[in-house]
């Protein structure tokens, strides 16, 4: 039997020449209905079901986040903080919320010194600030929700009571990061003395109980009711300073997003105390170089991005703090003229291993899960929520089935630093939601993993704006992550060509090569609304277990 030559097949079907030979692993999800993209398919499915029942994008985001607190417990939960950007398709208005909690009134640098502490370990009760998540949920729902509050928690409660099979990458984090779990937390998450296996059914009836209380009583259950009482009991038992007033008096804050123009896109972030200003400064620096003329995975493009990251991150470390208690030169940090000064410090052929913070003008006052949702009307939620380190503080709330975050560990104990620990002050935050738009295209995006986020977001924006990638390709493209503030060492995915890596090494970069789709680069999600075509797009990173799942079409309705 004669076999057709391969070239003859390709000539007969020319579409195969391009469609079957591509760099990205997944296609975008495309629909006229809504899309929910999260780090775990069951959470995405729950959000999509909320949309199908008439819920808003915010309703779906809250429901998905509640499920994630069960199925991805080392990354997020009611014991952490959240930030979100919400885009209204009818008005074109973008709204931000900062639901990050403050330090207890009784916690200060002097107090820690009296306790003999010169640092703030992540497993210390003193690293626990007031969790802002639940107040953020409620404020978002009151302003943007459609379904009854209690309905949003039904999927999470169902899985908490009936169990769910543990997914692959989450299981790896569970098993390899569980050493910090002790006492009640170890019993809760290591029921047989070990982490659940892939596919093993895990239940958390304590979390179901806590979510029942929140569903029936609202945020009051958390800040002045039975959940709050359990938090205070846990804190007292471990010698913490948190009081009923610290919980009851906390309020999330509606904030005005900050932005920049990058190429022909407008890119938005939230203002400090988060690191979103770092993404904007990186982009403003990168704008001074013709990145679109370089290949995305070339040494020229990556060298500029790496050097821009060093410059922006030194400024982040030096200046970003809670604007309610610190003077921050935000306007200067975000200015194009300052970025031009910083860009002039980048040498084309040589890595700078000794970067210093700049001196911007105009001083003024001022680990994680990410999900994004677009509903059928085009409303977008870019939503990020975290308990800080993997498994947070490792401290489980008595009888409530969730962990407290250790966000206070991000404070500086240098009293002269803008981010110095102080009573009722919010610490520097790494978690940031992103949004960008150009003409009829509107994109909600985010990438996880601590300090990686600002640099990863800048790379994503460049992939879209400079290299004309679609949102799935832009999310999947190989990236770097410079995890140390100083020096020239950085992680880089193995998919970056060897020739590029050799050239970067020649320029003085010290590369640690990791896997093809490495978790060190952070998973991410992206949704996009085309307001002209009324079509939605979704993307989910293969660096996580997640998926972008569309809202079901109403094909069974009459």
């Amino acid at each position: 039997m004669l076999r057709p030559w391969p070239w003859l097949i390709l000539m007969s079907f020319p579409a195969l020449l391009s469609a079957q030979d591509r760099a990205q692993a997944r296609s975008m999800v495309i629909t006229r209905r809504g899309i929910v993209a999260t780090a775990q398919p069951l959470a995405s499915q729950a959000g999509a079901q909320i949309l199908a029942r008439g819920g808003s994008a915010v309703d779906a985001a809250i429901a998905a986040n509640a499920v994630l607190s069960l199925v991805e417990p080392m990354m997020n939960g009611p014991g952490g903080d959240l930030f979100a950007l919400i885009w209204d398709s009818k008005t074109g208005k973008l709204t931000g919320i900062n639901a990050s909690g403050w330090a207890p009134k009784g916690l200060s640098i002097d107090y820690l010194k009296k306790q003999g502490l010169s640092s703030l370990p992540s497993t210390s009760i003193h690293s626990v600030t007031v969790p802002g998540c639940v107040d953020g949920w409620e404020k978002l729902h009151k302003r943007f929700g459609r379904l009854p509050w209690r309905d949003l928690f039904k999927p999470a409660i169902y899985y908490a009571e009936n169990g769910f099979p543990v997914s692959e990458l989450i299981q790896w984090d569970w098993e390899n990061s569980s050493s910090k779990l002790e006492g009640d937390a170890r019993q809760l998450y290591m029921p047989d003395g070990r982490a659940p296996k892939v596919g093993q059914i895990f239940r958390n009836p304590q979390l179901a109980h806590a979510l029942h209380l929140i569903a029936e009583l609202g945020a009051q259950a958390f800040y002045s009711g039975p959940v709050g009482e359990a938090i205070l009991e846990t804190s007292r038992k471990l010698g913490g300073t948190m009081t009923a007033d610290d919980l009851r008096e906390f309020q999330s804050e509606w904030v005005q997003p900050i932005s920049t123009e990058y190429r022909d896109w407008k890119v938005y972030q939230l203002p400090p105390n988060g690191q979103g200003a770092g993404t904007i400064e990186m982009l403003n620096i990168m704008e001074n170089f013709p990145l679109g003329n370089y290949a995305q995975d070339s040494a020229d493009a990556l060298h500029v991005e790496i050097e821009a990251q060093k410059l922006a991150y030194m400024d982040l470390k030096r200046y970003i703090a809670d604007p309610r208690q610190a003077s921050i030169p935000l306007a200067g940090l975000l200015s194009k003229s300052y970025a031009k000064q910083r860009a002039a410090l980048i040498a084309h052929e040589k890595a700078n291993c000794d970067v210093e913070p700049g001196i911007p003008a105009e001083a003024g006052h001022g680990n994680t899960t990410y999900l994004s949702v677009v509903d059928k009307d085009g409303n977008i939620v870019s939503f990020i929520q975290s308990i800080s380190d993997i498994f947070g503080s490792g401290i489980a709330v008595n009888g409530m089935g969730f962990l407290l975050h250790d966000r206070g560990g991000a404070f500086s104990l240098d009293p002269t630093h803008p981010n110095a620990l102080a009573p009722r002050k919010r610490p520097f935050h790494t978690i940031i939601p992103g949004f960008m738009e150009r003409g009829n295209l509107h994109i909600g995006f985010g990438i996880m993993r601590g300090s990686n986020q600002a640099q990863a977001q800048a790379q994503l924006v460049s992939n879209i704006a400079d290299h004309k990638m679609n949102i799935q390709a832009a999310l999947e493209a190989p990236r770097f992550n410079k995890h140390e503030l100083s020096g020239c060492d950085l992680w880089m995915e193995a998919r970056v060509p060897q020739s590029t890596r050799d050239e970067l090494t020649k320029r003085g970069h010290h590369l640690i090569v990791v896997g093809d789709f490495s978790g060190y680069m952070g998973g991410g999600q992206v949704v996009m609304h085309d307001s002209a075509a009324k079509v939605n797009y979704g993307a989910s990173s293969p660096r996580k277990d997640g998926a972008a799942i569309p809202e079901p079409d109403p094909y069974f309705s009459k």
Side-chain angles (χ1 to χ4, degrees):
M1 178 178 175
L2 294 177
R3 295 182 179 179
W5 293 345
W7 65 266
L8 186 58
I9 295 175
L10 293 175
M11 290 296 290
S12 302
F13 300 96
L16 292 176
L17 210 54
S18 59
Q20 300 302 323
D21 187 13
R22 65 180 186 181
Q24 72 190 76
R26 300 179 181 179
S27 294
M28 295 182 289
V29 173
I30 308 174
T31 178
R32 290 188 293 178
R33 309 291 288 188
I35 300 172
V36 181
T38 83
Q40 215 276 2
L42 296 179
S44 300
Q45 177 180 261
Q49 292 280 9
I50 290 291
L51 293 178
R53 293 172 66 85
S56 67
V58 160
D59 289 333
I62 295 169
N65 188 193
V67 173
L68 286 166
S69 68
L70 170 74
V71 301
E72 195 185 27
M74 69 291 300
M75 298 293 180
N76 71 115
D81 290 340
L82 78 80
F83 296 80
L85 287 163
I86 307 94
W87 183 73
D88 187 306
S89 63
K90 289 183 180 178
T91 65
K93 182 180 180 182
L94 188 68
T95 303
I97 189 169
N98 178 336
S100 64
W102 55 23
K105 196 171 185 178
L107 189 64
S108 66
I109 294 173
D110 286 341
Y111 175 86
L112 291 178
K113 286 181 178 178
K114 290 175 182 177
Q115 304 301 309
L117 294 173
S118 57
S119 63
L120 204 50
S122 67
T123 53
S124 167
I125 188 62
H126 300 308
S127 73
V128 179
T129 50
V130 169
C133 173
V134 178
D135 184 71
W137 283 349
E138 185 171 82
K139 280 187 170 58
L140 285 166
H141 181 259
K142 284 182 176 179
R143 187 163 175 178
F144 297 103
R146 293 180 195 156
L147 294 184
W149 167 260
R150 64 173 61 88
D151 288 359
L152 308 185
F153 301 95
K154 287 182 178 179
I157 291 169
Y158 173 87
Y159 286 123
E161 291 177 342
N162 293 281
F164 69 95
V166 174
S167 53
E168 297 168 57
L169 296 178
I170 288 173
Q171 194 280 337
W172 191 95
D173 283 333
W174 206 318
E175 184 170 3
N176 288 276
S177 305
S178 57
S179 59
K180 75 189 312 181
L181 298 176
E182 296 180 359
D184 292 344
R186 192 163 190 85
Q187 292 180 21
L188 180 64
Y189 292 111
M190 313 281 280
D192 301 317
R194 56 167 178 77
K197 297 179 180 179
V198 173
Q200 183 175 338
I201 305 302
F202 179 78
R203 297 174 178 83
N204 189 341
Q206 290 184 25
L207 180 60
H209 171 61
L211 292 176
H212 267 300
L213 292 169
I214 293 168
E216 293 304 317
L217 302 175
Q220 174 189 345
F222 195 93
Y223 296 96
S224 59
V227 181
E229 291 169 3
I231 292 172
L232 295 174
E233 178 190 351
T234 302
S235 178
R236 283 193 296 268
K237 184 172 67 175
L238 296 173
T241 63
M242 193 175 293
T243 67
D245 286 346
D246 291 321
L247 283 175
R248 185 177 60 252
E249 294 171 7
F250 169 74
Q251 292 290 320
S252 304
E253 180 183 15
W254 296 106
V255 294
Q256 182 66 36
I258 55 178
S259 65
T260 192
E261 297 279 348
Y262 184 75
R263 312 306 184 198
D264 51 353
W265 289 85
K266 192 160 188 178
V267 182
Y268 297 86
Q269 294 284 329
L270 290 177
N273 51 318
Q275 65 171 328
T279 299
I280 290 180
E281 186 181 344
M282 265 190 77
L283 291 172
N284 286 343
I285 294 170
M286 289 158 53
E287 190 178 44
N288 290 276
F289 301 87
L291 295 184
N293 295 341
Y294 310 144
Q296 184 272 338
D297 57 2
S298 67
D300 286 339
L302 289 168
H303 176 76
V304 168
E305 292 170 358
I306 293 165
E307 294 302 292
Q309 186 271 357
K310 296 175 190 175
L311 294 164
Y313 272 54
M314 275 297 178
D315 287 344
L316 277 181
K317 182 69 173 178
R318 170 64 183 85
Y319 296 111
I320 299 301
D322 185 348
R324 299 187 301 193
Q325 294 198 36
S327 178
I328 302 171
L330 185 59
L333 288 169
L334 303 183
S335 73
K336 298 281 190 176
S337 59
Y338 178 67
K340 196 172 187 68
Q341 294 173 26
R342 299 294 271 163
L345 300 174
I346 296 178
H348 182 67
E349 298 295 333
K350 184 175 177 57
N352 186 349
C353 301
D354 190 22
V355 175
E356 295 291 334
I359 306 175
E362 303 177 51
H365 291 280
N367 267 309
T368 301
T369 198
Y370 173 82
L371 63 93
S372 52
V373 180
V374 58
D375 64 24
K376 61 182 175 57
D377 299 318
N379 302 301
I380 291 174
V381 180
S382 181
F383 185 109
I384 196 157
Q385 203 263 306
S386 174
I387 53 172
S388 193
D389 286 339
I390 292 183
F391 283 118
S393 64
I395 299 170
V397 177
N398 293 349
M400 293 297 168
F402 64 86
L403 297 167
L404 293 169
H405 62 178
D406 59 331
R407 189 59 66 178
F411 278 122
S412 170
L413 297 188
D414 174 0
T416 67
H417 195 280
N419 187 42
L421 169 65
R424 295 289 175 92
K425 186 175 183 179
R426 299 172 300 185
F428 171 81
H429 250 278
T430 57
I431 63 175
I432 50 172
F435 185 83
M436 60 191 290
E437 59 184 353
R438 183 193 66 187
N440 57 296
L441 300 179
H442 315 274
I443 300 175
F445 63 92
I447 296 173
M448 298 161 254
R449 201 170 186 93
S451 64
N452 171 64
Q453 293 178 48
Q455 58 189 302
Q457 287 195 14
Q459 291 173 77
L460 175 77
V461 171
S462 178
N463 289 344
I464 294 170
D466 290 311
H467 305 295
K468 313 306 178 187
M469 294 181 175
N470 70 48
I471 58 173
Q472 183 67 43
L475 193 56
E476 289 186 16
R479 293 200 304 269
F480 69 86
N481 174 6
K482 180 155 178 41
H483 55 289
E484 296 293 339
L485 194 62
S486 59
C488 277
D489 58 304
L490 65 146
W491 290 323
M492 184 165 285
E493 287 181 310
R495 288 178 295 138
V496 174
Q498 183 66 53
S499 58
T500 295
R501 288 186 265 138
D502 289 344
E503 176 60 27
L504 289 171
T505 300
K506 181 180 175 182
R507 297 187 192 188
H509 301 283
H510 306 153
L511 307 185
I512 302 168
V513 180
V514 293
D516 285 351
F517 291 95
S518 173
Y520 291 118
M521 302 301 130
Q525 321 295 332
V526 184
V527 295
M528 180 173 75
H529 175 64
D530 183 335
S531 54
K534 307 297 183 187
V535 171
N536 294 324
Y537 299 76
S540 185
S541 172
R543 300 174 183 90
K544 286 281 188 178
D545 289 324
I549 293 183
E551 169 192 356
D553 283 278
Y555 27 69
F556 292 121
S557 62
K558 294 182 180 179

